[in-house]
Amino acid sequence: MPVRKMEIADIPAVLAIQEELQFQEWNEKQFASEIRAAYAACYVYETDAADECCGTPKILGYAIFHILGPDSELLSIATRKSQQQKGIGQKLIDAGFALLNFSNGDCCFLEVRISNEKARRFYEKNKFKEYSIRKKYYSDGEDAVLYKTEV
């Protein structure tokens, strides 16, 4: 299976995805902290094909969840631009959702830039429903849309 738990050795590849997409500014220490946290579920999507530069498997996407009992949060999910729309994000979100018990009332929260229509469509396809707006949430003054799952 191409989805597996994220390891410390994956951080350079995850940082490269973050840099490519320019959507957040987490550093190596922050990712390492998430990997070590007992409440965090961190995943990568890894190809079977070797990376051209170094002959190692290539990380194409990642997701980080905080599993906090019935109320969990999707902190970050990303897929390389060249690999978007190929089901990688779906497999990553499914990995996190597998840890939740929706029939018992568990739900997952997230926030996303109001202008990020592509991400918002993806979340809505995955049973997230908008429930609020955080005005001027991001450092550039953009609003955040708050979502939670309704399964």
Side-chain angles (χ1 to χ4, degrees):
M1 175 187 244
V3 174
R4 64 168 174 78
K5 290 204 173 206
M6 187 185 298
E7 301 170 357
I8 296 294
D10 299 323
I11 292 175
V14 169
L15 287 170
I17 293 170
Q18 175 187 259
E19 184 177 329
E20 175 189 342
L21 300 176
Q22 297 183 0
F23 77 102
Q24 72 184 24
E25 296 178 3
W26 286 17
N27 60 40
E28 184 175 345
K29 185 177 178 181
Q30 288 168 302
F31 279 110
S33 177
E34 292 297 330
I35 291 168
R36 290 184 188 109
Y39 53 83
C42 307
Y43 298 103
V44 293
Y45 184 98
E46 181 179 64
T47 65
D48 295 330
D51 190 313
E52 312 81 44
C53 74
C54 26
T56 58
K58 189 173 185 180
I59 305 298
L60 300 180
Y62 71 91
I64 298 175
F65 293 83
H66 280 181
I67 307 300
L68 306 166
D71 294 337
S72 296
E73 184 176 7
L74 174 57
L75 268 67
S76 186
I77 186 168
T79 303
R80 290 188 178 280
K81 282 183 184 178
S82 65
Q83 301 300 312
Q84 292 178 359
Q85 305 284 313
K86 295 182 179 182
I88 293 170
Q90 188 64 56
K91 287 182 172 129
L92 289 163
I93 210 164
D94 289 347
F97 279 5
L99 302 173
L100 304 176
N101 186 349
F102 291 116
S103 64
N104 202 35
D106 289 2
C107 66
C108 188
F109 295 87
L110 64 83
E111 69 258 345
V112 64
R113 286 180 175 273
I114 199 164
S115 65
N116 193 342
E117 291 294 328
K118 189 175 182 180
R120 293 177 64 192
R121 282 191 305 274
F122 173 73
Y123 297 136
E124 290 166 6
K125 180 183 131 203
N126 280 283
K127 300 183 170 90
F128 281 94
K129 301 289 183 204
E130 179 181 333
Y131 72 92
S132 189
I133 302 282
R134 281 194 183 138
K135 296 287 185 186
K136 299 181 180 179
Y137 178 73
Y138 294 99
S139 61
D140 62 2
E142 186 172 357
D143 296 345
V145 180
L146 306 180
Y147 281 92
K148 68 178 178 177
T149 50
E150 290 190 2
V151 180

